[in-house]
Amino acid sequence: MIFALGHNLFAIMAVMLLLWGLSVAIRDVSFIDAIWAYGMAFLVTLTAFWLMVAPNGLMGVMILVLVLAWGMRLGTHLLLRWRRLGPDPRYEKIIRRAQEKKGWSFATTSLLQVFLLQGPLVWMVSLPAQAGLLADDGSAPGVLAYAGAALAVIGITFESIGDAQLDSFRADPANKGKVLDTGLWRYTRHPNYFGDACTWWGIWMVSIAAGAPWWTTLGPLFLTFTLTRWSGAPMLEHGLRKSRPEYAAYVERTSGFIPMPPKS
């Protein structure tokens, strides 16, 4: 397992270096969000390759299918959004700040603050899936595995619906500058992040049932932390508070993560 995981880390870092070269050529790093999802799909596919193309048992198949369904759907959604909307202001701010405060070039900032950072994080978050595939001995799934698969499917569905509702809202010019507070967005300010967390905690449950070590819990723990406390909701909401006057009231009445009825 350690051998395969080490090779997977080397492989994702090699991919990130190639993509860093692309970012320098086009002067934009915003596509990294799509690579975050595609990268996890890539790592579980590579892990299946170490197992002679196919998982050992049904739990391994469940892990592979769930990660590919999540990663390919989300990666494609984010890639198309990037092509439609152009550079992400969040990443433009990161690049500009490093250039102003540290005197770094675009290439240096892209390498050190985006691609070299994202590679290990993609590998770490997907550790349960990689280890679960490698540990699966062909045993029949139990309650934990089926419960985890159900949670992951709920997460993928929840995130997909939330993304579709946001795309529909943004497509209407009349909504420019307004806040989406209907559909799933009425119950949580971040249905996509909540769906992400459900998906990876569900995959973790299947992986633990398949025999993945308990230390792989680091993956979903870190993902939940980054979505709720680091680069997910906090960074996004900081910009929305400035650009949308209605957002402060939306925050007051709407749950920040776990879906709940809005406050009166």
Side-chain angles (χ1 to χ4, degrees), residues 238-255:
H238 179 72
L240 289 173
R241 287 175 184 271
K242 292 183 177 181
S243 62
R244 288 168 170 77
E246 301 174 12
Y247 199 76
Y250 176 64
V251 169
E252 288 297 321
R253 65 177 181 269
T254 310
S255 171

Side-chain angles (χ1 to χ4, degrees), residues 34-112:
I35 303 306
W36 172 264
Y38 282 145
M40 296 191 206
F42 165 73
L43 285 174
V44 296
T45 302
L46 187 60
T47 305
F49 173 79
W50 294 121
L51 298 171
M52 302 300 290
V53 183
N56 293 324
L58 180 55
M59 284 188 285
V61 172
M62 291 164 67
I63 294 168
L64 182 61
V65 169
L66 288 169
V67 176
L68 289 178
W70 172 84
M72 299 309 294
R73 200 283 316 173
L74 179 58
T76 302
H77 167 75
L78 294 174
L79 187 64
L80 293 175
R81 186 180 71 181
W82 168 64
R83 295 298 297 161
R84 184 175 67 253
L85 300 179
D88 189 323
R90 294 174 302 162
Y91 290 112
E92 289 185 318
K93 184 177 180 179
I94 290 173
I95 298 293
R96 185 171 59 254
R97 183 180 299 170
Q99 290 175 326
E100 293 174 352
K101 293 187 175 182
K102 301 180 180 180
W104 289 355
S105 66
F106 178 92
T108 300
T109 307
S110 174
L111 179 64
L112 298 182

